[in-house]
């Protein structure tokens, strides 16, 4: 699957975001090892600290669906600086994705332009128990 197709899935998931407090909508899409796509969006709460980021919602949905190996992740959020995943999400992604896993990032109005990095570049020395 092309990065732009995975980004399109993230952009579609972003539309389902529950973000009435920040008004900042985020969508994430994981490409599974068998070329499936599992998405997530941010889910905010009136008790702000209970908010869950789009990336972690996607990981949770994937694990619940029995998928735990991923070839790539795409993240789409509102305009401005590219929506790099927060530190907590990087660590959660590192539980299931290798350091060389591509991370594609784009603004919500993206027209094919996106940034490409890797999880290892975003989180060197991720914490591991092994
Ligand atoms: N957010 C994400 O969904 N992913 C990130 O990596 C960083 C932030 C969400 C959480 C919250 O709903 C909103 O963006 C503003 O912080």
């Amino acid at each position: 699957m092309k990065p732009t197709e995975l980004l399109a899935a993230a952009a579609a998931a972003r539309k389902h975001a529950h973000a009435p407090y920040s008004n900042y909508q985020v969508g994430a899409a994981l490409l599974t090892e068998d070329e499936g796509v599992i998405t997530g969006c941010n889910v905010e709460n009136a008790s702000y600290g209970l908010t869950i980021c789009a990336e972690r919602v996607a990981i949770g949905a994937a694990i619940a669906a029995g998928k735990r190996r991923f070839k790539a992740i795409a993240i789409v959020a509102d305009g401005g600086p590219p929506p790099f995943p927060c530190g907590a999400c990087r660590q959660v992604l590192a539980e299931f994705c290798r350091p060389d896993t591509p991370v594609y990032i784009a603004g919500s109005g993206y027209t094919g332009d996106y940034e490409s990095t890797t999880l290892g570049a975003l989180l060197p020395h991720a914490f591991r128990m092994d």
Side-chain angles (χ1 to χ4, degrees), residues 56-122:
R56 278 179 283 160
V57 169
I59 285 283
I63 301 308
K67 309 291 181 188
R68 43 181 71 211
R69 296 174 77 90
F70 309 107
K71 295 210 282 202
I73 180 167
I75 303 160
V76 171
D78 297 332
F84 288 102
C86 77
C89 288
R90 295 177 196 198
Q91 176 65 33
V92 170
L93 288 166
E95 180 83 11
F96 300 102
C97 303
R98 295 179 349 178
D100 63 352
T101 304
V103 181
Y104 308 122
I105 301 171
S108 55
Y110 86 98
T111 52
D113 285 345
Y114 61 91
E115 289 216 17
S116 183
T117 183
T118 65
L119 186 58
L122 292 174

Side-chain angles (χ1 to χ4, degrees), residues 18-19 22 24-27 41-44 51-55 75 83-87 89:
H18 175 69
S22 73
Y24 185 78
Q25 300 170 311
V26 187
C41 58
N42 52 332
V43 182
E44 297 187 348
T51 291
I52 316 172
C53 294
E55 298 89 329
I75 303 160
F84 288 102
C86 77
C89 288

